[in-house]
Every structure is written in structure tokens, then in C-alpha cells.
Amino acid sequence: MRAIRNFALLLALLAPTAFADGLYSVEMIIFRQAGDPIPASQPAPDDWAAGSQSIAGSERGTALDGEAAKLNPNAGYEVLLHKAWSQDLSAIPSKVSLTSGEQQLGHFPVEGTLALAIDRSIDVQADFWINRFDGSGLISTSERLHQGSRLKNGELTFLDHGNLGILIRVSPL
């Protein structure tokens, strides 16, 4: 009897982790609030995407278009990036690279990585650079958005970082 109770307890502890792995839909909006940009002490590094995979080939249609439409200049916001993709998640963090805008000398106006891992909740680590370029295509200034958080499955979450923000939703497929 004791062996059955111990086995049941072991299954109860392991089951949430075992069933958490799989394919998820991820959608993210990066936006700027009205106000002066807060420059980073250093510009975006050349190896900003190190250790990540591109989302090319896994992009999906966006579903948060209504929320993105509310983040307009009349309301004091500017959407910098809005993307959706599918991604395999497990307890081991998987990192993807995201960009927006035209590439100039190896950099984009918005570039960065998003690392996701799932166990009992979804852990997210965002590291993005918002770059401005001079006339010769070199980065003149950068803003950095570096934020980590825990998300609830399927819930739209706001991550605040000075005058930059992220709306993110991660849901199982």
C-alpha cells in the first residue's frame, strides 16, 4: 500500500512537467511610450543573437491586432515590433531571435532575443535593443529592454521597462 501511495505521489510531482513540454503559440508586441528615449550605456553588440534560433519558418498570423491598434501615436505609444510564431518549449530554455525594420551594417532598428522555458509556469527572458542609425548606417544610439518574468499559460502579460514595454501571450497549440 505504501509503495502505491509513493508511486502516486511521484506521478503527481512529475506529471505537470511531463505534460508541459510541447508546441506553443507565442505572440509579442514591443512598444514605446511617449517620452524621451533612455539610451543604453553601450550600443547593441554585434553578437546580439548568439545562441538563438530565428523564427523564420515558424511565424504565424497575429491575434493581438486589437491591442496593437490601441498602442497608436494618438494614445501616446508606438509599436516597434509585433510578431507571432510557434515554438517548442520545455524545462530547458529555448532562445529565439527577432528583428524588425531594415538591416543596416548587421543591425536592425529592433533586434533581440526571447528565451522561454516551461515547468509549472512559463519563464521568459527578453533582451532587446532599439537602435537609431546615423546617415552612414552606423548605430548612433541604442535603448535596451532587458526583462525577465513568469507568465501564466495563455494569459496576456505586460512587462514594463521604463518607456518601453512588452505585451506577450504564450499558449499551448
Side-chain angles (χ1 to χ4, degrees):
M1 185 64 137
R2 185 174 185 190
I4 293 173
R5 186 174 50 225
N6 287 343
F7 181 70
L9 178 61
L10 181 64
L11 281 177
L13 291 174
L14 294 177
T17 302
F19 290 114
D21 292 0
L23 192 60
Y24 283 74
S25 171
V26 182
E27 185 165 357
M28 183 175 72
I29 301 170
I30 297 177
F31 62 95
R32 175 184 285 124
Q33 299 175 20
D36 293 329
I38 302 171
S41 59
Q42 296 179 336
D46 289 337
D47 65 346
W48 63 268
S52 66
Q53 296 179 357
S54 172
I55 64 166
S58 63
E59 290 192 66
R60 306 172 56 84
T62 56
L64 297 175
D65 297 330
E67 288 79 355
K70 292 176 187 175
L71 297 169
N72 63 57
N74 292 334
Y77 300 99
E78 176 188 4
V79 172
L80 303 170
L81 178 142
H82 183 190
K83 296 203 178 201
W85 66 96
S86 56
Q87 183 175 345
D88 281 315
L89 299 185
S90 69
I92 300 169
S94 89
K95 185 164 59 165
V96 296
S97 61
L98 300 146
T99 62
S100 180
E102 291 294 320
Q103 183 179 14
Q104 295 187 42
L105 300 174
H107 289 279
F108 294 85
V110 179
E111 58 191 14
T113 61
L114 187 74
L116 295 168
I118 188 162
D119 194 6
R120 296 181 193 274
S121 61
I122 301 167
D123 292 321
V124 62
Q125 186 65 44
D127 193 10
F128 284 87
W129 299 89
I130 315 305
N131 300 312
R132 293 180 191 256
F133 300 94
D134 64 17
S136 62
L138 296 172
I139 295 176
S140 59
T141 62
S142 293
E143 294 173 83
R144 186 173 187 195
L145 189 162
H146 187 75
Q147 186 78 25
S149 187
R150 285 211 149 142
L151 310 176
K152 289 185 179 177
N153 200 351
E155 186 174 287
L156 183 61
T157 304
F158 169 61
L159 304 177
D160 187 15
H161 193 272
N163 69 332
L164 297 171
I166 294 177
L167 287 175
I168 186 168
R169 180 184 296 158
V170 180
S171 306
L173 286 175

